[in-house]
Amino acid sequence: MTSVTYREAVTMALAAEMERDETVWLLGEDIGAAGGVFKATDGLFETFGERRVRDTPISEQAIIGCAIGSAVTGMRPVAEIMFADFAGVCFDSIANQLAKYRYMTGGQVTVPVTVRLLNGAGLGFGSQHSQPVENWFLNFPGLKVCVPGTPADVYGLLRSAIRDDDPVLVFEHKALYSMKGELDTDAAPTPIGKAEIVREGGEVTVVATQMMRRRALEAADGLADAGIQIEVIDLRTLVPMDLETVLGSLERTGRLVCVQEGPALGGWAGSLVSQVVDNAFDLFDAPPRIVSAEPTPIPYAGPLEDAWAPDAGRIRRAVEDVCV
């Protein structure tokens, strides 16, 4: 075990898979000699050369289009979208081409594309560079969606994504890059579609991802002091979603709170609550709650951005409400 930052875990995962498989290569804006705008590809250009770590023009459509063409001819490209918000520029390429290519060829062609999207709020980048956009892609069969929240999970899920024969979107939270955690590089890659119970408790199930996982754990400490033990689940993957783990926890607690960074409408939290209601409504001892960001553009000003996203206090109040 070693202690590394989330950023270092990304770099290590990319290097490990490039060493393991010569068909893996990287493309994106400024990922080469510059090492990426957040330095997540730092050193890879020097190690693997310009043929396998390629800078691209400032064109998200070109990046995804090139990745698709490379994948269907036998390579395993890893494409970086510098800010996840810019996935809107290449939305058609992802939703209508990447997601559907294997299906439309009758399975004759695989599309092993990994798209790394630098995601999330909290660093003062303003409305167009701070959105958590993972929810944009929940409704496109053919895509897998990963939201790793720790160095170990970003390392393991990124390696699983690169090995997958279908397209995988890996959302790396920008505000987590400098945060440290333990990493076992000898561990098997983290399975796509498997949630993790990160804190056990018997009174309320709290489901959260990425930065909201950290804030749920902060809330858990305060709630424990008040005599409320919550169980915190990190989904880690939104598509496919591990409903079984959530239902198993709900059988013990009878109460559900979902915490997502983005606005509630059209998000994974509402989808999860809907699935639980459809499959196991009788498990609820109280109405489920969703704690989400405000339905506004993300403010640039630091205090306003802090107020926009859920914090530990809002999570704690939601848990206390369902316990009444």
Side-chain angles (χ1 to χ4, degrees):
M1 298 286 284
T2 184
S3 179
V4 301
T5 64
Y6 190 97
R7 176 190 294 107
E8 290 169 336
V10 171
T11 311
M12 293 166 66
L14 294 172
E17 289 304 303
M18 293 178 78
E19 290 171 357
R20 190 188 70 87
D21 185 347
E22 64 181 12
T23 67
V24 176
W25 68 287
L26 316 181
L27 69 161
E29 300 165 17
D30 294 328
I31 67 165
V37 66
F38 292 99
K39 296 299 182 182
T41 56
D42 194 30
L44 298 180
F45 180 82
E46 291 77 11
T47 301
F48 296 100
E50 63 181 6
R51 291 187 68 253
R52 297 185 67 191
V53 184
R54 297 198 179 189
D55 286 327
T56 68
I58 302 174
S59 172
E60 287 74 22
Q61 290 168 300
I63 292 169
I64 299 302
C66 182
I68 294 171
S70 170
V72 301
T73 55
M75 304 296 285
R76 290 187 177 271
V78 181
E80 179 184 295
I81 303 299
M82 182 187 292
F83 287 89
D85 318 59
F86 300 159
V89 179
C90 55
F91 198 83
D92 176 73
S93 298
I94 296 174
N96 281 329
Q97 308 304 325
L98 184 61
K100 298 173 175 62
Y101 206 102
R102 186 173 188 178
Y103 174 79
M104 293 183 70
T105 63
Q108 297 178 78
V109 176
T110 58
V111 194
V113 174
T114 300
V115 184
R116 298 176 46 244
L117 302 104
L118 284 50
N119 199 45
L123 296 179
F125 284 113
S127 298
Q128 296 174 326
H129 297 73
S130 302
Q131 298 165 98
V133 308
E134 64 272 18
N135 292 318
W136 293 2
F137 298 98
L138 300 183
N139 200 32
F140 295 103
L143 298 176
K144 297 174 182 177
V145 179
C146 298
V147 284
T150 68
D153 283 343
V154 76
Y155 179 83
L157 284 169
L158 190 51
R159 297 192 71 177
S160 290
I162 294 170
R163 299 181 189 190
D164 201 298
D165 285 335
D166 288 310
V168 184
L169 310 184
V170 180
F171 289 88
E172 299 168 13
H173 201 291
K174 301 190 294 290
L176 292 175
Y177 274 133
S178 62
M179 296 185 180
K180 284 194 169 186
E182 294 298 312
L183 175 63
D184 179 4
T185 56
D186 293 326
T190 306
I192 293 174
K194 182 62 178 174
E196 179 187 15
I197 298 174
V198 296
R199 179 175 178 135
E200 294 184 347
E203 294 177 79
V204 181
T205 298
V206 177
V207 183
T209 63
Q210 297 199 311
M211 185 58 73
M212 296 301 104
R213 163 192 167 134
R214 295 181 65 89
R215 294 184 180 173
L217 290 172
E218 291 174 23
D221 291 335
L223 288 162
D225 292 340
I228 301 174
Q229 300 294 332
I230 69 172
E231 184 149 289
V232 179
I233 295 176
D234 182 352
L235 288 177
R236 302 195 292 189
T237 305
L238 301 182
V239 183
M241 187 178 286
D242 185 0
L243 184 62
E244 182 179 354
T245 294
V246 176
L247 292 180
S249 176
L250 194 59
E251 286 181 354
R252 297 187 293 274
T253 68
R255 296 174 175 85
L256 176 65
V257 174
C258 297
V259 189
Q260 70 174 36
E261 184 172 317
L265 189 62
W268 66 260
S271 177
L272 176 58
V273 169
S274 174
Q275 291 182 70
V276 174
V277 169
D278 283 346
N279 288 275
F281 182 76
D282 58 322
L283 293 180
F284 286 115
D285 293 331
R289 289 288 303 275
I290 295 175
V291 183
S292 65
E294 300 297 330
T296 69
I298 300 172
Y300 172 73
L304 293 179
E305 185 179 30
D306 291 342
W308 175 83
D311 60 12
R314 286 172 60 184
I315 297 168
R316 176 172 177 168
R317 289 190 293 274
V319 168
E320 290 171 340
D321 286 347
V322 301
C323 288
V324 173

